[in-house]
Amino acid sequence: MPGFWLRPLTNLGLIALLALIMWPIAGAVWALLGFSLFLLGYILFNLRELKALNRWLANPQLRTVPEGEGLWEETFVLLYQLARRQSASQHQLSKALERFQRAGEAMPDGVVMLDARDQIEWFNPIAAQQFGLNLETDIGHPITYLLRQSQFHEYISAHNYSEPLIMKSARNPEITLSVQLVPFGDDLKLLLARDITRFEQVETMRRDFIANVSHELRTPLTVIGGFLESLQDYTDLSEENRSHFFGLMRDQTLRMQRLVEDLLTLSRLESAANPLQDETVDVPALLRQLHQDAQGLSHGRHPIRLELESSACLQGAESELRSALGNLISNAVRYTPQGEEIVVRWEDCGGEVRFSVKDSGIGIEPQHIPRLTERFYRVDRSRSRETGGTGLGLSIVKHVLTRHQARLEIASEVGQGSTFSVIFPATRVLRAKAPVAV
Ligand code: ADP
């Protein structure tokens, strides 16, 4: 920057020239004194500007860059431009950091950033929930102080993070977490934690389901196998015994058939490729048919009353509703002792409409009620089997009702009987114009 020197040297040259001109006129002393005074002023001026620069450097803010004069003006302008560029890139950097932090906070999994000594540098709100961490007190603390499970300590000290660690949440032991450490940068680590509770539940359900189905099929198959062996070994069986054996084998075959049919129904209901049909279901007519079926099933052992107090029809799938409501009615017949009454009712209930079946049967203890719609859940296994139950009926009911946005309510008292009610939402109800004949 040759221009930088031009101005001060010109100024100094001019003053030196002035001093030289003064020399013969005012004498050497005055000329040197004048020149010295000018130099002193020049030094003081520069010191003042230097002080301004020094003060600014102690607290460099874009809006307080000194203005300066002469040589310093240009320096301060350059300084201002530099400070502006720096402030712009700082702004961009903090925006990028903010975006990264927001992305971390928005992640559906827990994220904890650890330094080289496994101390917490940062974590997102999900990690705070999963591990019970607190932003105000836990930053800077070693993660192992806060997550005290021995399996986690073993995992972190093993230095092999290729597989995740499955552990219970410290905060809520009902939550299962899949935790994995991901090393990055200079000995830093990311601790990623995913809530796999639902996945584990589904996995347990799947295992239980397979075990249950196998168990349900094994018993009838063992019985049939046993009879077939007997028939093979004892060729001289009497006609009476033979027909007794065949009868028992037929019962077991029917039992397996019912089970497979119920399983297929459940699988159809659960299949995403099976959307709900939208037909108009004449529920009063359907209930009259189901009433007749129930009488057939009861063989006249129970008085079964049908009370059609509403003419409402429903929008939905007739076959599914037949299966669900039929299941509830047949359960009432199967779990009600001979001679006790059963009442099937269809009634309006505000804008909604309610189906109910009330029996005077054995009733159900309260602790069983929330679990009745689970697959294969039975209060009394042998009673269910004796009456031809598969343990899947209420599970089918629940699926059908969910597909129709309806809810199931169960009220029961042991020894007094049970009422199973289904409430269909107003959005599914179609009102018939003419009153229905009961
Ligand atoms: P199941 O084929 O065993 O009847 P469900 O799924 O239909 O299977 O019913 C599950 C269990 O709920 C039954 O095993 C029985 O213990 C109980 N249950 C269902 N309905 C009634 C009822 N009306 N009265 C008493 N218990 C009932």
Side-chain angles (χ1 to χ4, degrees):
M1 28 191 321
F4 179 83
W5 298 106
L6 198 64
R7 247 163 80 185
L9 288 179
T10 315
N11 286 345
L12 277 173
L14 276 176
I15 297 304
L17 190 68
L18 203 67
L20 282 177
I21 294 170
M22 272 181 68
W23 197 309
I25 303 167
V29 174
W30 285 107
L32 281 174
L33 192 68
F35 187 66
S36 305
L37 275 176
F38 167 77
L39 274 183
L40 184 68
Y42 195 63
I43 288 169
L44 286 176
F45 161 76
N46 279 306
L47 281 175
R48 193 191 70 183
E49 298 297 292
L50 196 64
K51 185 178 169 201
L53 174 64
N54 199 292
R55 198 180 308 134
W56 183 81
L57 284 174
N59 180 21
Q61 304 259 342
L62 184 62
R63 58 191 164 75
T64 57
V65 176
E67 290 194 348
E69 283 167 41
L71 249 190
W72 290 93
E73 187 182 351
E74 198 184 326
T75 306
F76 287 143
V77 166
L78 288 173
L79 203 61
Y80 178 77
Q81 286 169 352
L82 183 75
R84 225 169 75 165
R85 279 200 301 275
Q86 210 171 23
S87 148
S89 72
Q90 229 170 29
H91 183 69
Q92 269 179 350
L93 199 68
S94 67
K95 280 261 169 220
L97 264 176
E98 201 178 306
R99 275 204 301 274
F100 272 117
Q101 189 154 340
R102 287 232 187 101
E105 283 169 1
M107 273 182 68
D109 296 337
V111 185
V112 184
M113 201 184 284
L114 303 176
D115 67 12
R117 289 190 293 161
D118 295 333
Q119 291 171 342
I120 301 176
E121 283 196 344
W122 176 85
F123 53 84
N124 70 354
I126 300 278
Q129 274 174 25
Q130 290 169 335
F131 300 122
L133 298 178
N134 185 327
L135 260 185
E136 277 164 25
T137 54
D138 295 340
I139 296 288
H141 286 284
I143 185 80
T144 41
Y145 280 14
L146 300 158
L147 300 188
R148 293 185 168 268
Q149 286 108 313
S150 57
Q151 52 180 156
F152 180 72
H153 284 221
E154 281 161 25
Y155 178 72
I156 205 163
S157 52
H159 296 285
N160 175 10
Y161 311 131
S162 54
E163 290 295 323
L165 165 75
I166 309 297
M167 61 185 264
K168 293 286 171 195
S169 157
R171 219 179 192 189
N172 181 355
E174 285 184 7
I175 292 180
T176 309
L177 298 174
S178 163
V179 172
Q180 187 156 23
L181 278 165
V182 183
F184 74 102
D186 290 337
D187 224 4
L188 304 177
K189 291 185 200 84
L190 270 185
L191 175 74
L192 304 176
R194 172 165 293 181
D195 183 344
I196 56 161
T197 315
R198 181 80 196 115
F199 173 78
E200 270 226 322
Q201 281 167 351
V202 171
E203 190 50 27
T204 311
M205 269 167 65
R206 190 187 67 82
R207 273 198 302 267
D208 289 354
F209 182 68
I210 292 175
N212 274 320
V213 172
S214 316
H215 181 77
E216 292 291 329
L217 286 174
R218 196 178 54 191
T219 317
L221 280 174
T222 313
V223 174
I224 294 173
F227 285 140
L228 283 174
E229 265 176 35
S230 307
L231 285 169
Q232 203 175 23
D233 294 348
Y234 305 102
T235 42
D236 55 345
L237 273 178
S238 69
E239 196 49 44
E240 194 187 337
N241 273 343
R242 191 178 284 269
S243 96
H244 177 65
F245 279 9
F246 277 125
L248 290 173
M249 283 198 288
R250 199 192 54 233
D251 287 351
Q252 296 303 326
T253 314
L254 281 176
R255 185 172 151 192
M256 285 194 289
Q257 240 170 12
R258 271 197 305 271
L259 180 67
V260 172
E261 269 163 26
D262 278 0
L263 286 171
L264 286 173
T265 306
L266 262 183
S267 127
R268 263 197 308 275
L269 289 171
E270 283 180 344
S271 160
N274 177 23
L276 184 71
Q277 280 177 358
D278 243 353
E279 10 182 58
T280 300
V281 184
D282 183 346
V283 181
L286 175 66
L287 291 183
R288 279 192 215 102
Q289 288 169 17
L290 291 175
H291 180 226
Q292 275 182 8
D293 295 350
Q295 280 170 327
L297 183 69
S298 159
H299 296 297
R301 286 178 291 128
H302 309 89
I304 306 176
R305 214 166 66 225
L306 177 63
E307 295 180 354
L308 293 176
E309 292 180 1
S310 168
S311 58
C313 294
L314 286 176
Q315 198 164 11
E318 175 152 2
S319 60
E320 290 184 21
L321 289 172
R322 177 189 297 278
S323 156
L325 306 185
N327 249 308
L328 293 176
I329 298 174
S330 76
N331 275 356
V333 173
R334 289 169 45 227
Y335 296 106
T336 300
Q338 184 161 356
E340 300 292 342
E341 190 184 48
I342 294 166
V343 181
V344 178
R345 185 193 282 255
W346 181 238
E347 64 192 326
D348 287 316
C349 187
E352 299 174 325
V353 62
R354 182 171 187 263
F355 161 86
S356 63
V357 50
K358 180 177 185 310
D359 64 52
S360 330
I362 56 173
I364 305 158
E365 284 179 89
Q367 72 270 23
H368 295 295
I369 292 180
R371 301 197 57 192
L372 291 182
T373 56
E374 287 175 24
R375 295 162 180 182
F376 297 112
Y377 190 86
R378 292 140 155 156
V379 178
D380 180 346
R381 196 164 278 271
S382 60
R383 178 157 192 148
S384 156
R385 289 228 180 91
E386 273 165 29
T387 53
T390 59
L392 294 173
L394 289 182
S395 186
I396 292 174
V397 170
K398 189 187 94 178
H399 272 83
V400 171
L401 299 191
T402 307
R403 279 160 70 86
H404 288 79
Q405 297 82 44
R407 60 183 195 276
L408 177 68
E409 288 177 359
I410 306 170
S412 188
E413 218 172 303
V414 177
Q416 300 295 309
S418 316
T419 303
F420 285 74
S421 308
V422 179
I423 294 100
F424 291 94
T427 46
R428 288 253 157 225
V429 178
L430 299 167
R431 300 276 163 200
K433 292 198 177 76
V436 84
V438 179

